[in-house]
């Protein structure tokens, strides 16, 4: 659901995902892309793409932290060889 919100309302999606600085950057991107998007129409997709990528990266970071914490608590998985 957060990906749909990030695609349709990029700054709101970033704010709800806990990324206020990315939301501000996205607002700046929206202004720039609307101005230059009148000539280069593909630029209108940049803010949504930025938001989707930022949300994905934040989720991957959270998932990575969870795995590292589980390994610290319980040790490496069975069959793990160094």
């Amino acid at each position: 659901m957060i990906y749909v919100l990030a695609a349709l309302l990029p700054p709101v999606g970033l704010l709800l995902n806990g990324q206020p600085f990315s939301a501000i950057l996205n607002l700046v991107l929206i202004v720039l892309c609307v101005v230059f998007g009148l000539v280069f129409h593909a630029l209108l997709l940049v803010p949504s793409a930025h938001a989707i990528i930022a949300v994905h990266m934040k989720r991957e970071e959270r998932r990575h932290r969870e795995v590292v914490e589980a390994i610290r608590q319980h040790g490496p998985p069975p069959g793990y060889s160094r």
Side-chain angles (χ1 to χ4, degrees):
M1 189 67 186
I2 192 76
Y3 288 105
V4 174
L5 192 58
L8 299 178
L9 297 168
V12 175
L14 289 169
L15 280 174
L16 291 178
N17 198 42
Q19 298 174 291
F21 296 115
S22 292
I24 293 169
L25 174 65
N26 199 278
L27 283 172
V28 172
L29 275 174
I30 288 173
V31 170
L32 290 174
C33 289
V34 165
V35 171
F36 293 115
L38 298 173
V39 177
F40 304 107
H41 301 297
L43 286 177
L44 297 174
L45 299 174
V46 170
S48 293
H50 167 259
I52 291 170
I53 291 169
V55 166
H56 178 71
M57 289 176 63
K58 182 79 168 189
R59 285 184 174 261
E60 286 296 317
E61 179 185 330
R62 285 182 197 142
R63 195 171 297 134
H64 177 73
R65 270 190 273 126
E66 289 173 1
V67 168
V68 168
E69 188 59 34
I71 290 173
R72 283 188 186 139
Q73 287 180 356
H74 306 290
Y80 177 77
S81 61
R82 284 185 109 166

